[in-house]
Amino acid sequence: MILADYFRSERDATWDFALQSGVRHGVIRLPEDGRFDYADRSHWESLCKRFTDFGITPVVIEPMPNELHDHIKAGDERRDESIERAISMFPHMRAMGIDTICFNWMAHIGWLRTSSEYPERGGAKVTEFRMADFKPTGAKITADELWQNYEYFVKAVIPEAEQYGIRLALHPDDPPVPRLGDVERIMISKANIKKAIYDIVKSDSLGITMCQANYFIMGEDLKKTIEEFADKIYLVHFRNTKGEPSHFRETFHDNGDLDMAELMRVYIQNGVNVPIRVDHVPTMAGEVSTLPGYDAMGRLFAIGYLKGILDAVQGGAE
Ligand SMILES: [Mn+2]
């Protein structure tokens, strides 16, 4: 496995923490200031140089920029233009050596929690989702529309991705529930995700982000899921949790319901050798949270824990 971390496009202390922890590969977020032109090679070159000069090799883009993706998932009047702009990234990604992009199919409402104050070990705080606390937003989309929009997207994009050897890695819905008010969701079970990556377009350019805690929350057997999807796993989100779809919470990486070392053995036994990054960490003592789930101290602990497991199970991190 390739030890990576999640990097915002502007340098901050988390860049230093990752580098100092031994991370050398980046899952990077593209700039969202409106000045980054996806179709302009020079913009990609200067962005990637910022990372490589620092000591980090970018290997994955995450997420597909929301300013494009939101129109694509909703299937609105800006869909075609947004798909064109997404496709315009592929030759530049290829030239920069970035061959994977993480995308999801959550329309109108993305990653969602109802609290960021759930008490974890020693008074650390984690995010929680409780359906009873969810307040509908007024947005609407049906499962049928989501499937139609998904089919439209993959049929347009995957042939282009194939030409450049780019891999799209579908992230499961989080929370994996069938509806949030009038917004339905489809990437909520292994069966649906199988349909999404095998039945509509068959391609090595279409696979998954194994956000392992989501599959666990769905009630899937993780060992079997990893075995079954092994050659379709293009990115791993190393994440622990407790609960079920209508009520769950994050945990420290060593303190949830998943056996993290055992899962690492399963990845390696099944030949999964892709970028892996920690996901959703606690906010720790003294921290003013900037983005719950993505704060720095919990992340340091999580990276160290992941690196320890990689050293023990794999004999080191790439
Ligand atoms: Mn994830």
Side-chain angles (χ1 to χ4, degrees):
M1 297 288 242
I2 300 157
L3 176 66
D5 194 24
Y6 180 68
F7 291 86
R8 298 175 185 99
S9 56
E10 294 293 331
R11 181 174 169 180
D12 61 17
T14 63
W15 283 38
D16 296 88
F17 291 155
L19 192 71
Q20 289 167 13
S21 301
V23 173
R24 291 189 290 118
H25 296 88
V27 172
I28 66 167
R29 184 168 192 126
L30 294 177
E32 283 161 277
D33 56 6
R35 283 177 297 176
F36 187 87
D37 181 351
Y38 309 116
D40 187 329
R41 175 70 53 87
S42 69
H43 290 199
W44 286 88
E45 283 169 349
S46 60
L47 174 69
C48 291
K49 187 171 186 302
R50 199 183 305 163
F51 284 105
T52 52
D53 284 353
F54 184 75
I56 296 295
T57 303
V59 288
V60 177
I61 301 296
E62 180 185 348
M64 171 158 311
N66 290 323
E67 62 164 331
L68 307 180
H69 209 11
D70 289 346
H71 300 296
I72 296 170
K73 291 183 282 189
D76 65 22
E77 69 284 352
R78 292 185 61 190
R79 165 168 61 181
D80 288 339
E81 160 211 338
S82 301
I83 287 176
E84 283 305 311
R85 292 177 70 200
I87 289 170
S88 77
M89 298 197 286
F90 297 162
H92 307 305
M93 287 174 61
R94 169 49 51 202
M96 298 296 111
I98 301 172
D99 67 1
T100 303
I101 181 162
C102 176
F103 76 113
N104 67 72
W105 214 254
M106 295 177 275
H108 301 302
I109 302 171
W111 179 74
L112 182 75
R113 297 292 183 266
T114 51
S115 163
S116 53
E117 301 279 317
Y118 194 97
E120 225 310 63
R121 188 172 59 202
K125 291 175 183 164
V126 291
T127 64
E128 174 192 25
F129 176 76
R130 209 163 71 118
M131 187 59 102
D133 296 333
F134 168 73
K135 300 202 175 35
T137 60
K140 274 185 189 174
I141 195 160
T142 66
D144 282 348
E145 289 168 324
L146 286 166
W147 279 116
Q148 283 163 21
N149 294 347
Y150 179 82
E151 181 169 345
Y152 188 96
F153 170 70
V154 292
K155 286 188 168 167
V157 165
I158 294 300
E160 303 287 336
E162 283 174 343
Q163 277 188 34
Y164 295 100
I166 301 299
R167 311 204 292 184
L168 277 79
L170 174 63
H171 190 286
D173 293 351
D174 182 5
V177 293
R179 56 171 59 245
L180 289 164
D182 289 330
V183 174
E184 296 196 333
R185 298 195 146 198
I186 56 174
M187 303 305 173
I188 56 169
S189 66
K190 185 168 73 177
N192 282 12
I193 288 167
K194 271 173 102 164
K195 176 178 162 186
I197 61 166
Y198 291 112
D199 295 356
I200 298 166
V201 173
K202 274 194 184 28
S203 172
D204 290 343
S205 283
L206 183 58
I208 65 164
T209 295
M210 172 46 77
C211 187
Q212 55 189 31
N214 266 330
Y215 283 89
F216 170 78
I217 295 284
M218 290 172 195
E220 306 292 359
D221 178 319
L222 267 181
K223 185 168 186 278
K224 280 193 195 141
T225 305
I226 293 167
E227 284 168 359
E228 213 170 318
F229 281 148
D231 64 352
K232 284 289 191 183
I233 298 175
Y234 298 160
L235 171 66
V236 175
H237 280 179
F238 194 66
R239 177 181 155 214
N240 212 333
T241 192
K242 277 180 186 285
E244 39 94 30
S246 62
H247 188 201
F248 63 87
R249 66 179 182 89
E250 306 292 330
T251 67
F252 277 103
H253 278 67
D254 64 331
N255 202 36
D257 287 338
L258 283 64
D259 181 338
M260 305 293 262
E262 178 56 21
L263 290 176
M264 186 65 75
R265 285 184 206 103
V266 176
Y267 289 123
I268 289 171
Q269 281 160 7
N270 285 278
V272 179
N273 185 26
V274 296
I276 182 168
R277 74 163 181 87
V278 302
D279 203 5
H280 302 175
V281 301
T283 302
M284 296 182 72
E287 281 191 289
V288 176
S289 184
T290 51
L291 181 60
Y294 288 85
D295 291 315
M297 303 311 290
R299 195 159 201 91
L300 263 183
F301 176 81
I303 293 171
Y305 184 75
L306 167 57
K307 190 157 190 299
I309 289 177
L310 276 170
D311 284 349
V313 176
Q314 180 173 261
E318 267 188 54

